[in-house]
């Protein structure tokens, strides 16, 4: 069931679900949602998101998704919500979808990083093909969101400006994961709204904010929470040797903790194969080159790629490979091998490259 987000306050809008945990902040929204969301059993535990916390000046209720009702309202296709009549995405009518991303949601007492499938759009009010900034009504869109989320069994978790003592962390959360704080309107300092629809099939998180009224833009993000599924394929030592002998290098898909240099356990078998390769050819020397996709700032990506390369080198040295046979280098997002405009391309660009020295 896709519900359309209408501009009249009396009409319902279509904004539906995305997964994660939410805290009760609006008694009205919670009471409206509870009638549509009774569940006999508690939902499966949500994946543990990264939480960035900071002391908020005004006491805030501690966010706890377990306190929210579970919605069982039937949903249509992701992203479940459509824009109101006369509102259109700028640049792309359908907005953009990332199969796996992470997004910061402010929940009143902290910034909650949520991972999963993400839809985002920057939208404006149009009359025909002409954009009419003065017709954009932030309050009306907010009230419609309140209405539709309640109908879908969800709750408004936060609806105000980001507290002054959290703004630094708020800015950092966006810069680490996206190009800048203005990509989703977060840098304008306008009120931010967070909604959560708790579901057994994946919590749905909704973010809405606007630009200053003179610009007449709105920003909508829907994230359906899901756990990370590793897609990296292991290349054995023999296959790596073939590629290095042929081209002088080989690309590996190594999974690291999100935005960190820690090698995830599922990628240790790949590192073991690199160790076997080096063991089988004592004269082989390698440069371990780290690469990222274009998510996040250039400087951050450069530092991250270097750190990940050093992490691989340190692991191999720890297994007994002489340090003078290995060199670590990072190139950030400067050497893509696939289109960063797609999630598949981004996954290919996040790689570790072994280059014969």
């Amino acid at each position: 069931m896709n519900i359309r987000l209408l501009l009249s306050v009396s009409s319902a809008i279509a904004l539906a679900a995305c997964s994660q945990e939410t805290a009760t902040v609006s008694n009205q929204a919670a009471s409206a949602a509870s009638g549509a969301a009774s569940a006999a059993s508690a939902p499966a535990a949500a994946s543990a998101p990264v939480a960035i916390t900071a002391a908020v000046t005004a006491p805030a209720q501690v966010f706890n998704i377990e306190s929210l009702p579970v919605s069982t309202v039937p949903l249509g296709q992701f992203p479940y919500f459509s824009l109101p009549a006369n509102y259109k995405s700028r640049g792309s009518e359908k907005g953009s979808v990332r199969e796996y991303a992470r997004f910061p949601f402010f929940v009143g007492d902290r910034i909650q990083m949520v991972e999963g499938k993400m839809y985002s759009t920057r939208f404006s009010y149009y009359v025909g093909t002409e954009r009419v900034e003065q017709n954009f009504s932030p309050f009306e869109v907010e009230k419609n969101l309140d209405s539709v989320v309640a109908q879908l069994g969800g709750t408004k978790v936060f609806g105000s400006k980001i507290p002054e003592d959290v703004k630094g962390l708020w800015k950092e959360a966006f810069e680490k994961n996206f190009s800048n704080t203005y990509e989703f309107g977060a840098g304008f300092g306008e009120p931010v709204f967070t909604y959560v629809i708790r579901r057994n099939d994946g919590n749905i998180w909704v973010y809405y904010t606007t630009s200053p009224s003179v610009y007449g833009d709105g920003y909508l993000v829907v994230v359906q929470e899901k756990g990370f599924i590793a897609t990296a394929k292991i290349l054995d030592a023999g296959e790596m040797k073939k590629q290095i002998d042929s081209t002088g290098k080989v690309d590996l898909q190594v999974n690291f903790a999100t935005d960190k240099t820690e090698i995830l356990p599922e990628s240790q078998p790949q590192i073991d194969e690199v160790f076997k390769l080096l063991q089988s050819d004592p004269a082989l020397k390698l440069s371990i080159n780290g690469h990222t996709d274009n998510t996040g700032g250039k400087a951050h990506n450069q530092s991250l790629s270097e750190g990940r390369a050093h992490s691989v080198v340190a692991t191999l040295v720890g297994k007994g490979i002489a340090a003078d046979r290995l060199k670590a280098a990072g190139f950030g997002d400067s050497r893509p091998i696939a289109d960063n405009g797609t999630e598949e391309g981004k996954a290919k660009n996040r790689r570790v490259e072994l280059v014969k020295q």
Side-chain angles (χ1 to χ4, degrees):
M1 177 185 70
N2 278 8
I3 305 174
R4 186 165 185 77
L5 181 65
L6 302 178
L7 269 186
S8 80
V9 176
S10 61
S11 303
I13 35 182
L15 288 166
C18 115
S19 74
Q20 226 327 319
E21 322 178 333
T22 83
T24 303
V25 170
S26 165
N27 291 333
Q28 271 190 327
S31 62
S34 62
S38 58
S41 60
S47 59
V50 178
I52 303 176
T53 60
V56 180
T57 302
Q61 182 177 358
V62 175
F63 173 76
N64 178 13
I65 197 167
E66 300 298 328
S67 68
L68 300 179
V70 179
S71 170
T72 57
V73 177
L75 302 173
Q77 292 184 337
F78 184 85
Y80 314 120
F81 305 102
S82 58
L83 294 172
N86 298 320
Y87 280 81
K88 298 179 182 179
S89 296
R90 295 189 61 182
S92 170
E93 185 66 28
K94 295 182 179 179
S96 64
V97 175
R98 308 183 192 201
E99 288 301 320
Y100 197 85
R102 66 201 302 255
F103 191 85
F105 290 86
F106 190 69
V107 296
D109 68 327
R110 66 184 184 274
I111 298 169
Q112 187 87 11
M113 301 302 298
V114 179
E115 299 180 359
K117 188 173 184 177
M118 175 177 140
Y119 167 84
S120 63
T121 185
R122 175 187 178 193
F123 63 95
S124 296
Y125 188 95
Y126 286 82
V127 175
T129 58
E130 182 181 356
R131 182 166 162 259
V132 185
E133 294 92 337
Q134 62 268 28
N135 283 12
F136 189 100
S137 173
F139 177 71
E140 194 166 17
V141 174
E142 176 201 344
K143 298 310 291 182
N144 279 303
L145 276 168
D146 289 352
S147 174
V148 72
V149 170
Q151 289 181 55
L152 293 169
T155 305
K156 179 190 277 186
V157 173
F158 182 78
S160 187
K161 291 188 176 183
I162 299 297
E164 288 294 329
D165 50 0
V166 181
K167 283 184 176 179
L169 290 175
W170 182 244
K171 180 174 183 289
E172 179 183 343
F174 278 90
E175 289 182 344
K176 278 187 174 181
N177 294 280
F178 306 103
S179 59
N180 58 68
T181 57
Y182 295 96
E183 185 175 352
F184 301 97
F188 290 116
E190 298 297 311
V192 170
F193 300 88
T194 301
Y195 302 84
V196 182
I197 304 167
R198 185 184 179 202
R199 294 182 64 89
N200 286 322
D201 54 356
N203 301 318
I204 297 167
W205 294 70
V206 181
Y207 162 96
Y208 163 62
T209 191
T210 65
S211 62
S213 59
V214 66
Y215 299 118
D217 286 328
Y219 300 82
L220 177 68
V221 176
V222 179
V223 179
Q224 180 146 30
E225 187 182 343
K226 65 178 181 180
F228 176 73
I229 300 174
T231 57
K233 296 179 180 179
I234 294 177
L235 290 182
D236 63 29
E239 179 59 30
M240 284 188 284
K241 184 178 187 322
K242 285 181 184 179
Q243 292 193 34
I244 289 175
D245 288 344
S246 174
T247 66
K249 64 180 182 179
V250 61
D251 289 327
L252 305 178
Q253 296 297 312
V254 178
N255 291 323
F256 296 86
T258 303
D259 209 38
K260 295 181 180 179
T261 61
E262 175 191 351
I263 300 171
L264 293 179
E266 59 262 30
S267 283
Q268 288 299 335
Q270 181 64 82
I271 303 301
D272 290 340
E273 291 299 317
V274 178
F275 173 68
K276 291 178 185 177
L277 170 68
L278 288 161
Q279 263 193 327
S280 67
D281 184 356
L284 179 62
K285 293 185 177 182
L286 294 174
S287 175
I288 311 294
N289 299 342
H291 301 269
T292 70
D293 59 29
N294 66 348
T295 301
K298 293 283 186 184
H300 175 72
N301 289 341
Q302 178 63 34
S303 175
L304 184 62
S305 66
E306 291 174 0
R308 288 176 170 178
H310 280 288
S311 181
V312 172
V313 168
T315 302
L316 292 169
V317 170
K319 288 177 175 291
I321 301 300
D324 61 2
R325 296 177 61 192
L326 302 171
K327 170 185 160 186
F331 297 91
D333 57 11
S334 65
R335 297 183 180 182
I337 57 173
D339 182 10
N340 270 314
T342 68
E343 290 306 311
E344 182 181 0
K346 285 178 180 286
K348 290 180 179 178
N349 290 331
R350 296 189 297 267
R351 68 196 190 279
V352 171
E353 181 184 49
L354 308 184
V355 180
K356 186 175 181 179
Q357 298 297 289

